[in-house]
Structures are given as C-alpha cells and as structure tokens.
Amino acid sequence: MAQRRPPDLAHALERADAVHSLYYFLTHALFRLFAGADPLVLLRLPAVLATAVTAGLLTLLGTRLAGPRTGLLAGLAFAVLPPVQRYAQEGRSYALVCALVVWSSYLLIRAVDTRTARTTRARTRAWAGYGAVLLTACLLHEFAVLVLAAHAVAVPREARRAWARTACVVVGALAPLAVLSMRQSAQVAWIGGLGTGALLGIAAVAVPGCAAAPFLPRPVVRLALPLAVLPAGLLMLVSLVKPLYVDRYVLYGQAGTALLIGAALDRLTRAGGTHRAAALLATAAAIVALLPVTASLRTPGSRIDDATAIDAAVRTAGEGADGILYLPARRRVWSLADPSTVRGLRDLALNRTPEASGTLYGTEVGPSMIRARLRTAHRIVVLRDPAGQPLDTTPGEVAKRRILAERFEECGTRSVHGGRVSVYAHRC
C-alpha cells in the first residue's frame, strides 16, 4: 500500500484501510525519501525507534510522577515486556501509537501543572500540545482515543474543564475518519469473540495493580492503573456486542503496566534487608523466565504466517506450472510484497490488480469466468489457508474449489507456517 502512488493510495483508502491512512502516507514518504534503502529495514525501523523513544518517555513520565528510580525502572520494564518486543519488530503503526500516547500522557501531567501558571497563554499552549499529540496518535489508529478514559480518571478535578475542552476537540477532529472507517467495518469481520487469554491478560494486570495500589505513589496509580486497564477493558465491553478486541489495538496499555512495575520495584528495592533481596531475586527470575519468550518472538513461528517460507514453497511448486490460484482471494497478499515469486504464473482468478482496482488484494472475475480460465490451465499452484480453517462461502471461492475437485488431481501439498502450497494438475 505504501509503495503506491499517492492518488492510487488515496483511491484505495476510500474503500479499505482508512484507519491506517496517516501511517500509509508517512511510510510512503519514508520510501520516497530513502528510495535506495532496503524497504524491509525502512518498514521496521520506525517501530524500533518508536519503542526506544517510548521507553525514554516513560522514564521521564515516571520521574515526574514519583522520582527518577521509578522512571528508570518503568522504562526498563517496558522494554522487556513481550508484547512490546513483538510490535517493536513489525512494520505496523502500533509502536508509534504507543510512543504518542505516552508522550500525550506526559504532556497531560505538564498541562495539569500549568494551572497555576501566571499567563493564560502558557496554559493554552500546554493543553494545545497535549491535544495535538493525542490527535496524531488517534489518526494513526483510532482506538488510541480510548486513552481518554484513562486520562479522565487521572486529571484532578480543578483541571477537568480544560481537559474536557481539549478532549472534545480531539474527538471532533477524529470523527470524519471514524465515520469513514465505520463504512469499512467488513475489514474487521475476521475478529472473533473474546478468548480466555484476553480476559486472563487484563485480570493479570488489574488484580495485582489494585492490590498494590495502596502501597504505591498515588500519582503513579492514578495514571498507570487506568492506562493499563481501561482502554483494553472498554474495547472488551464493546466486543460483547461487536467483536473488535485485538491486543495490539491497545498496545499502549503496556505503558501503564510498566509504570506500575517500575513503582513497585522502586518501593521494594527501597525496603530493608529481606524484602529488598526478595525483590531483586524475583526480578532476576522474571528476566530469566522471559528469555525463552523473547527468543521465540524473533522467529517466524511467533507470527501468524511465514511469508518467506511460503514464497520459497511457491518457487519450487511453480516449476512447470502455468497458473496460480488463491484460496481465498485475500491470500494474494502473500505474493504482493515480492511479485517475482509468481512471475510467469498466470493469476487465474484476477480481474483487476490491487492498484488498478483501488483495493487491498485486487478484484476477481465471476464464477463462470473462473471456471472457464481453470479449464484452460494444465498445472496450477494453489495457495490455501492452513488446514482446519473455515472455508469461505462466497460464490467465487465455492466455484474455485468445485472446479478443482471436478477437473484436477491434487499432486502434492506442502504445509508451511500459516498456509499450504499445493500443486494441482489434470493428471499427476
């Protein structure tokens, strides 16, 4: 998407992925600015840098709330949290959103402190800065707006009117994008209901956080606990009606968790003798326990699929083939990053390319045309979902499966992480 020309990109965003509009244009500008660089490095580097910046901002925020030890420990804790390490590696917007949310939280604390400033201009500038940074986070991903619930709890009573005005401006400015993306809600139809893991995850933060709250600095608890719990909790409540909860959508909640950990470690390491030794031992044990997790997060098996392995399987299967078929059509995404993998193979169902159609994966011809094209092919590479996935019941997908079953033999299938690559022929 980010490598498309701006007019083509804008045209596509009218139909799909409007929620990522700003991120796509920023990434497009990055590709243009460093045209000769490795695109995978360019795609991932912003997330790496954003995660490092977030750790630094958390150090500043924790220092302002409870002192330098809390700040430093919070920044270090954030850096080793597994969800943070995962999305620091990916070419997505979530690490950037996290950095902006933490920055806005820091600016919120500063803005609250300006209520005693001598000039109205200083107070206005402080709140404007907070609103601008938070709005940018929301434009990168709309669910950043849920942090307003956490900020509402953190703001003291005497600053609530100024905060409410700023929050209304942010919500109002975000509204047009929200309306557009709501029209594209079919894109999140893949999200399932709440799983046990998600519920246990939020409970694992909320219960210890509430239990430790009386022993931690009040300013930390007042911001960190709502930040860790409320955005995820609200998204879970919405998901009871319309499934929308995905942990990465509220990744910034990990900043609240890190602040709580930093404050707790600070408190424990200041305690005397046995308590301090126990805290240091528990911290060391936690870090050792995380090592296998952090190692696994740096392998293809930690992701939904392994696009590199799929590409390699397609290259092998494609020898002697004259066509390729994607079951379902969205699996065409596997070939979009490196089109050379399928060069020489006719895309038997394709009508218009993603760029020409202004879509994510392109458009496909109707069932009758798919049937006619498949009848002219002799040996086909088929890219499929992993075994056990529910079958797509749209007419085009049904037609693909039916004609394959009627006129072709399955000559072999290679299962790779996240998908299957099969070869079909009239006679193996």
Side-chain angles (χ1 to χ4, degrees):
M1 287 286 280
Q3 290 181 344
R4 299 184 188 185
R5 296 184 309 114
D8 293 336
L9 180 55
H11 178 53
L13 292 170
E14 293 175 2
R15 303 184 179 192
D17 257 9
V19 66
H20 297 302
S21 300
L22 179 58
Y23 181 64
Y24 284 149
F25 279 109
L26 288 174
T27 309
H28 175 84
L30 196 63
F31 284 161
R32 290 288 299 273
L33 189 60
F34 300 99
D38 184 337
L40 286 179
V41 173
L42 286 180
L43 194 64
R44 295 174 184 229
L45 191 58
V48 177
L49 296 177
T51 303
V53 167
T54 306
L57 288 169
L58 267 177
T59 301
L60 293 176
L61 180 57
T63 298
R64 193 172 188 109
L65 292 172
R69 284 167 61 94
T70 293
L72 178 61
L73 291 168
L76 292 172
F78 179 80
V80 299
L81 291 174
V84 172
Q85 293 202 21
R86 169 171 182 165
Y87 291 104
Q89 302 173 42
E90 296 201 352
R92 299 191 183 197
S93 64
Y94 306 109
L96 280 74
V97 172
C98 195
L100 289 167
V101 166
V102 173
W103 187 12
S104 73
S105 300
Y106 178 76
L107 293 175
L108 172 64
I109 301 304
R110 286 189 59 184
V112 168
D113 289 345
T114 63
R115 63 184 183 273
T116 58
R118 294 182 179 179
T119 64
T120 303
R121 181 177 296 180
R123 293 193 293 271
T124 302
R125 276 201 307 265
W127 286 108
Y130 161 70
V133 172
L134 183 55
L135 177 59
T136 305
C138 295
L139 292 175
L140 277 174
H141 198 276
E142 290 171 21
F143 288 152
V145 76
L146 295 174
V147 79
L148 285 173
H151 288 175
V153 175
V155 171
R157 181 177 301 174
E158 57 271 20
R160 284 179 185 169
R161 181 174 296 179
W163 173 83
R165 285 196 297 265
T166 307
C168 287
V169 171
V170 170
V171 173
L174 181 64
L177 178 61
V179 171
L180 177 58
S181 62
M182 285 175 65
R183 297 174 184 168
Q184 302 170 358
S185 60
Q187 280 193 259
V188 292
W190 59 270
I191 300 176
L194 291 174
T196 304
L199 297 173
L200 290 176
I202 193 169
V205 176
V207 174
C210 291
F215 308 101
L216 302 180
R218 182 174 174 78
V220 172
V221 173
R222 190 165 184 171
L223 174 63
L225 190 56
L227 181 58
V229 174
L230 285 182
L234 288 173
L235 197 54
M236 287 181 178
L237 286 175
V238 172
S239 295
L240 296 176
V241 179
K242 165 68 175 174
L244 288 174
Y245 179 81
V246 180
D247 59 351
R248 62 178 178 266
Y249 293 170
V250 286
L251 178 67
Y252 53 84
Q254 298 293 327
T257 303
L259 279 171
L260 291 171
I261 293 173
L265 289 175
D266 185 14
R267 177 66 184 266
L268 290 171
T269 53
R270 288 179 186 274
T274 306
H275 291 91
R276 183 175 184 178
L280 293 173
L281 185 61
T283 301
I287 292 173
V288 171
L290 283 174
L291 288 177
V293 178
T294 60
S296 69
L297 284 172
R298 286 156 175 79
T299 65
S302 67
R303 301 311 197 263
I304 294 174
D305 51 32
D306 184 353
T308 302
I310 292 169
D311 278 355
V314 171
R315 288 183 189 276
T316 301
E319 296 178 4
D322 54 1
I324 189 166
L325 193 66
Y326 299 92
L327 282 174
R330 65 177 179 275
R331 292 307 180 191
R332 188 173 284 106
V333 71
W334 284 332
S335 304
L336 294 179
D338 184 11
S340 66
T341 304
V342 294
R343 188 168 293 135
L345 297 176
R346 183 188 180 195
D347 192 333
L348 294 167
L350 184 66
N351 181 25
R352 301 179 70 197
T353 65
E355 292 84 353
S357 62
T359 61
L360 291 175
Y361 312 122
T363 57
E364 296 195 338
V365 295
S368 60
M369 183 60 72
I370 290 175
R371 190 173 291 107
R373 289 184 180 181
L374 283 172
R375 285 172 178 166
T376 65
H378 299 285
R379 188 177 179 86
I380 303 171
V381 177
V382 180
L383 269 64
R384 297 188 287 171
D385 282 336
Q389 292 276 19
L391 298 176
D392 195 312
T393 57
T394 59
E397 302 301 334
V398 172
K400 293 177 195 176
R401 294 195 299 270
R402 183 174 297 160
I403 195 67
L404 282 176
E406 291 173 354
R407 302 184 63 86
F408 291 85
E409 294 180 34
E410 184 176 342
C411 301
T413 294
R414 179 179 174 184
S415 294
V416 293
H417 180 56
R420 290 176 292 169
V421 179
S422 303
V423 175
Y424 281 77
H426 287 299
R427 183 174 298 173
C428 295

